[in-house]
Amino acid sequence: MDSPGQYEERVVWTVVGTGVGPLLLAATGDGLVNVVFHAVGAARDRALERLAARLGTEPVEAPRSPLLAEAIRQVEAYFAGGRRDFDLPLDWSLISGFNRQVLRELAVGVPFGQVVGYGDLAGRVGRPDAAQAVGTAMGANPLPVVVPCHRVVESDGGIGGFGGGVDTKRRLLALEGVLPEPLF
């Protein structure tokens, strides 16, 4: 006889210190499912509550989980300047439709050290009139840094918005050599 919850998805998480502050990394058996900026205190707790509600299971803190080991290693290497690309299995279950299509294109089509405009990215997925919808997709990105929404900028040269905050976006673009290092 099956035990209750036997087939529930297991979700593990940990918080990793980075050059842009603490990042929460969460993974399932399918791959990395969520990256959350500023993951301390109430912000971390809210992120975990949202994740539990969306995936239907309580995330378990497991910093030594094999499901997280490679993601931790690659994130740390990225922030140390030793990694330019992520090569991780990703669990796309928190995003669907147009948003998923745009984020998948971003993940494979905009390499380290380059940026793309919202409208240009919309054109790449066959919707040149959907720049605003691309902005919405960037804001819904459950995997920032790994799926590099920080590389999407305004066509007029502006930096654009960012879920982790504009200062975080500037730091990530500086890390990739797109912008100069912030002075403070």
Side-chain angles (χ1 to χ4, degrees), residues 87-132:
D87 183 21
L88 296 168
L90 301 177
D91 178 338
W92 292 93
S93 63
L94 295 178
I95 196 117
S96 61
F98 177 77
N99 291 356
R100 184 186 291 190
Q101 180 184 12
V102 168
L103 291 171
R104 284 182 179 260
E105 172 59 31
L106 175 64
V108 298
V110 183
F112 182 95
Q114 294 186 18
V115 294
V116 64
Y118 293 94
D120 292 336
L121 189 53
R124 289 185 186 193
V125 296
R127 299 267 314 272
D129 59 336
Q132 191 170 5

Coordinates of all heavy atoms in Angstrom, one line a residue, residues 87-132:
D87 N 25.3 25.4 -16.4 CA 24.9 24.2 -17.0 C 24.3 23.3 -15.9 O 24.9 22.4 -15.3 CB 26.2 23.5 -17.5 CG 25.9 22.2 -18.3 OD1 24.8 22.0 -18.7 OD2 26.9 21.4 -18.4
L88 N 23.0 23.6 -15.7 CA 22.2 23.0 -14.7 C 20.9 22.5 -15.2 O 20.3 23.1 -16.1 CB 21.9 24.0 -13.6 CG 23.0 24.6 -12.8 CD1 22.5 25.7 -11.9 CD2 23.6 23.5 -11.9
P89 N 20.4 21.3 -14.7 CA 19.0 21.0 -15.0 C 18.1 22.0 -14.4 O 18.3 22.4 -13.2 CB 18.9 19.6 -14.4 CG 19.9 19.5 -13.4 CD 21.0 20.4 -13.8
L90 N 17.1 22.4 -15.1 CA 16.2 23.4 -14.6 C 14.8 22.9 -14.6 O 14.3 22.2 -15.5 CB 16.2 24.7 -15.5 CG 17.5 25.4 -15.6 CD1 17.4 26.6 -16.5 CD2 18.0 25.8 -14.2
D91 N 14.0 23.1 -13.5 CA 12.6 22.7 -13.4 C 11.8 24.0 -13.7 O 11.8 25.0 -13.0 CB 12.4 22.3 -12.0 CG 10.9 21.9 -11.7 OD1 10.0 22.3 -12.5 OD2 10.7 21.2 -10.7
W92 N 11.2 24.0 -14.9 CA 10.4 25.1 -15.4 C 9.0 25.1 -14.9 O 8.2 25.9 -15.4 CB 10.5 25.1 -16.9 CG 11.8 25.3 -17.5 CD1 12.7 24.4 -17.9 CD2 12.4 26.6 -17.8 NE1 13.9 25.0 -18.4 CE2 13.7 26.4 -18.3 CE3 12.0 27.9 -17.6 CZ2 14.5 27.4 -18.7 CZ3 12.8 28.9 -18.0 CH2 14.1 28.7 -18.6
S93 N 8.6 24.3 -13.9 CA 7.2 24.2 -13.5 C 6.6 25.4 -13.0 O 5.4 25.5 -12.9 CB 7.1 23.0 -12.6 OG 7.8 23.3 -11.4
L94 N 7.4 26.4 -12.5 CA 6.8 27.7 -12.0 C 6.4 28.7 -13.0 O 6.0 29.8 -12.7 CB 7.7 28.3 -10.9 CG 8.0 27.5 -9.7 CD1 9.0 28.2 -8.8 CD2 6.7 27.2 -9.0
I95 N 6.7 28.4 -14.3 CA 6.4 29.3 -15.4 C 5.9 28.6 -16.6 O 6.3 27.5 -16.8 CB 7.7 30.2 -15.7 CG1 7.4 31.4 -16.5 CG2 8.8 29.4 -16.3 CD1 7.7 32.7 -15.7
S96 N 5.0 29.2 -17.3 CA 4.4 28.6 -18.5 C 4.2 29.6 -19.6 O 4.4 30.8 -19.5 CB 3.2 27.8 -18.1 OG 2.2 28.8 -17.7
G97 N 3.7 29.1 -20.7 CA 3.2 29.9 -21.9 C 4.3 30.8 -22.4 O 5.5 30.4 -22.5
F98 N 3.9 32.0 -22.8 CA 4.8 33.0 -23.4 C 6.0 33.3 -22.5 O 7.1 33.4 -22.9 CB 4.0 34.3 -23.6 CG 4.8 35.4 -24.2 CD1 5.2 35.4 -25.5 CD2 5.2 36.5 -23.4 CE1 6.0 36.4 -26.1 CE2 6.0 37.5 -23.9 CZ 6.4 37.5 -25.2
N99 N 5.7 33.4 -21.2 CA 6.8 33.7 -20.2 C 7.9 32.7 -20.3 O 9.1 33.0 -20.3 CB 6.3 33.9 -18.8 CG 5.4 35.1 -18.6 OD1 5.3 35.9 -19.5 ND2 4.8 35.2 -17.4
R100 N 7.5 31.4 -20.3 CA 8.5 30.3 -20.4 C 9.2 30.4 -21.7 O 10.4 30.2 -21.8 CB 7.8 28.9 -20.2 CG 8.8 27.8 -20.2 CD 8.2 26.4 -20.2 NE 7.6 26.1 -19.0 CZ 7.1 24.9 -18.7 NH1 7.2 23.9 -19.5 NH2 6.5 24.7 -17.5
Q101 N 8.5 30.6 -22.8 CA 9.1 30.7 -24.1 C 10.2 31.8 -24.1 O 11.3 31.6 -24.6 CB 8.1 31.0 -25.2 CG 8.6 31.1 -26.6 CD 7.5 31.5 -27.6 OE1 6.4 31.9 -27.2 NE2 7.8 31.3 -28.9
V102 N 9.9 33.0 -23.6 CA 10.8 34.1 -23.6 C 12.0 33.8 -22.7 O 13.2 34.0 -23.1 CB 10.1 35.4 -23.0 CG1 11.1 36.5 -22.7 CG2 9.1 35.9 -24.1
L103 N 11.8 33.2 -21.5 CA 12.9 32.9 -20.6 C 13.8 31.8 -21.2 O 15.0 31.8 -21.0 CB 12.3 32.5 -19.2 CG 11.7 33.6 -18.5 CD1 11.0 33.2 -17.2 CD2 12.7 34.7 -18.1
R104 N 13.2 30.8 -21.9 CA 14.1 29.8 -22.5 C 15.0 30.4 -23.6 O 16.1 30.1 -23.7 CB 13.2 28.7 -23.1 CG 12.7 27.7 -22.0 CD 11.9 26.6 -22.7 NE 11.4 25.6 -21.7 CZ 11.9 24.5 -21.5 NH1 13.0 24.1 -22.0 NH2 11.4 23.6 -20.6
E105 N 14.4 31.3 -24.3 CA 15.2 32.0 -25.4 C 16.3 32.8 -24.7 O 17.4 32.8 -25.2 CB 14.3 32.9 -26.2 CG 15.1 33.8 -27.2 CD 16.0 33.0 -28.2 OE1 15.6 31.9 -28.6 OE2 17.0 33.6 -28.6
L106 N 16.0 33.5 -23.7 CA 17.0 34.3 -22.9 C 18.1 33.4 -22.4 O 19.3 33.7 -22.6 CB 16.3 35.0 -21.8 CG 17.2 35.8 -20.8 CD1 17.9 36.9 -21.6 CD2 16.4 36.3 -19.6
A107 N 17.7 32.2 -21.9 CA 18.7 31.3 -21.3 C 19.7 30.8 -22.3 O 20.9 30.7 -22.0 CB 18.0 30.2 -20.6
V108 N 19.3 30.6 -23.5 CA 20.2 30.0 -24.5 C 20.7 31.1 -25.5 O 21.8 30.9 -26.1 CB 19.6 28.9 -25.3 CG1 19.2 27.7 -24.4 CG2 18.4 29.3 -26.1
G109 N 20.0 32.2 -25.6 CA 20.3 33.2 -26.7 C 21.1 34.4 -26.3 O 21.4 35.2 -27.2
V110 N 21.3 34.7 -25.0 CA 21.9 35.9 -24.6 C 23.1 35.5 -23.6 O 22.9 35.3 -22.5 CB 21.0 36.9 -23.9 CG1 21.7 38.2 -23.6 CG2 19.7 37.2 -24.8
P111 N 24.3 35.4 -24.2 CA 25.4 34.9 -23.4 C 26.0 36.0 -22.4 O 25.7 37.2 -22.5 CB 26.5 34.6 -24.5 CG 26.1 35.4 -25.7 CD 24.6 35.6 -25.6
F112 N 26.8 35.5 -21.5 CA 27.5 36.3 -20.6 C 28.1 37.5 -21.2 O 28.7 37.4 -22.3 CB 28.6 35.4 -20.0 CG 29.4 36.0 -18.9 CD1 29.1 35.9 -17.6 CD2 30.6 36.8 -19.2 CE1 29.9 36.4 -16.6 CE2 31.3 37.4 -18.2 CZ 31.0 37.2 -16.9
G113 N 28.0 38.7 -20.6 CA 28.6 39.9 -21.1 C 27.9 40.6 -22.2 O 28.4 41.5 -22.8
Q114 N 26.7 40.1 -22.6 CA 25.9 40.7 -23.6 C 24.6 41.1 -23.0 O 24.1 40.5 -22.0 CB 25.7 39.8 -24.8 CG 27.1 39.5 -25.5 CD 26.9 38.7 -26.8 OE1 25.8 38.6 -27.3 NE2 27.9 38.2 -27.3
V115 N 23.9 42.0 -23.7 CA 22.6 42.4 -23.3 C 21.7 42.4 -24.5 O 22.1 42.4 -25.6 CB 22.5 43.8 -22.6 CG1 23.3 43.8 -21.3 CG2 23.1 44.9 -23.6
V116 N 20.4 42.4 -24.3 CA 19.4 42.4 -25.3 C 18.3 43.4 -24.9 O 18.0 43.5 -23.7 CB 18.8 41.0 -25.6 CG1 18.1 40.4 -24.4 CG2 18.0 41.0 -26.8
G117 N 17.6 44.0 -25.8 CA 16.5 44.9 -25.5 C 15.2 44.1 -25.3 O 15.1 43.0 -25.9
Y118 N 14.3 44.6 -24.6 CA 13.0 43.9 -24.4 C 12.3 43.7 -25.8 O 11.9 42.5 -26.0 CB 12.1 44.8 -23.5 CG 12.5 45.0 -22.1 CD1 13.3 46.1 -21.7 CD2 12.2 44.0 -21.2 CE1 13.7 46.2 -20.4 CE2 12.6 44.1 -19.8 CZ 13.3 45.3 -19.5 OH 13.7 45.4 -18.1
G119 N 12.3 44.7 -26.7 CA 11.7 44.5 -28.0 C 12.5 43.5 -28.8 O 11.9 42.7 -29.6
D120 N 13.8 43.5 -28.7 CA 14.6 42.5 -29.5 C 14.3 41.1 -29.0 O 14.2 40.2 -29.9 CB 16.1 42.8 -29.3 CG 16.5 44.1 -30.0 OD1 15.8 44.6 -30.9 OD2 17.5 44.7 -29.5
L121 N 14.2 40.9 -27.7 CA 13.9 39.6 -27.2 C 12.5 39.2 -27.7 O 12.2 38.0 -28.0 CB 14.0 39.6 -25.7 CG 13.9 38.2 -25.0 CD1 14.9 37.2 -25.6 CD2 14.2 38.4 -23.5
A122 N 11.5 40.1 -27.7 CA 10.2 39.8 -28.1 C 10.2 39.3 -29.6 O 9.6 38.4 -30.0 CB 9.3 41.0 -28.0
G123 N 11.0 40.0 -30.4 CA 11.2 39.6 -31.8 C 11.8 38.2 -32.0 O 11.4 37.5 -32.9
R124 N 12.7 37.9 -31.1 CA 13.3 36.5 -31.2 C 12.3 35.4 -31.0 O 12.6 34.3 -31.4 CB 14.4 36.4 -30.1 CG 15.7 37.2 -30.5 CD 16.7 36.9 -29.4 NE 17.9 37.8 -29.6 CZ 19.0 37.6 -29.0 NH1 19.2 36.5 -28.2 NH2 20.0 38.4 -29.2
V125 N 11.2 35.7 -30.2 CA 10.2 34.6 -30.0 C 9.0 34.9 -30.9 O 8.0 34.3 -30.7 CB 9.8 34.5 -28.5 CG1 11.0 34.1 -27.7 CG2 9.2 35.8 -28.0
G126 N 9.2 35.7 -32.0 CA 8.1 35.8 -33.0 C 7.0 36.8 -32.6 O 6.0 36.8 -33.2
R127 N 7.3 37.6 -31.6 CA 6.2 38.6 -31.1 C 6.9 40.0 -31.0 O 7.0 40.5 -29.9 CB 5.7 38.2 -29.8 CG 5.0 36.8 -29.7 CD 3.5 36.9 -30.0 NE 2.8 37.9 -29.2 CZ 2.3 37.8 -28.0 NH1 2.5 36.6 -27.3 NH2 1.7 38.8 -27.4
P128 N 7.3 40.6 -32.1 CA 8.0 41.9 -32.1 C 7.2 43.0 -31.4 O 7.8 44.0 -31.0 CB 8.3 42.2 -33.5 CG 7.3 41.4 -34.3 CD 7.0 40.1 -33.5
D129 N 5.9 42.9 -31.3 CA 5.1 43.9 -30.6 C 4.9 43.7 -29.1 O 4.1 44.4 -28.5 CB 3.7 43.9 -31.3 CG 3.0 42.6 -31.2 OD1 3.6 41.6 -31.0 OD2 1.7 42.6 -31.3
A130 N 5.6 42.7 -28.6 CA 5.3 42.3 -27.2 C 6.4 42.6 -26.2 O 6.7 41.9 -25.2 CB 5.1 40.8 -27.2
A131 N 7.1 43.8 -26.4 CA 8.2 44.2 -25.5 C 7.7 44.3 -24.1 O 8.4 43.9 -23.1 CB 8.8 45.5 -26.0
Q132 N 6.5 44.9 -23.9 CA 6.0 45.0 -22.5 C 5.7 43.6 -21.9 O 6.0 43.4 -20.7 CB 4.7 45.9 -22.5 CG 4.2 46.3 -21.2 CD 3.1 47.3 -21.2 OE1 2.6 47.6 -22.3 NE2 2.7 47.8 -20.0

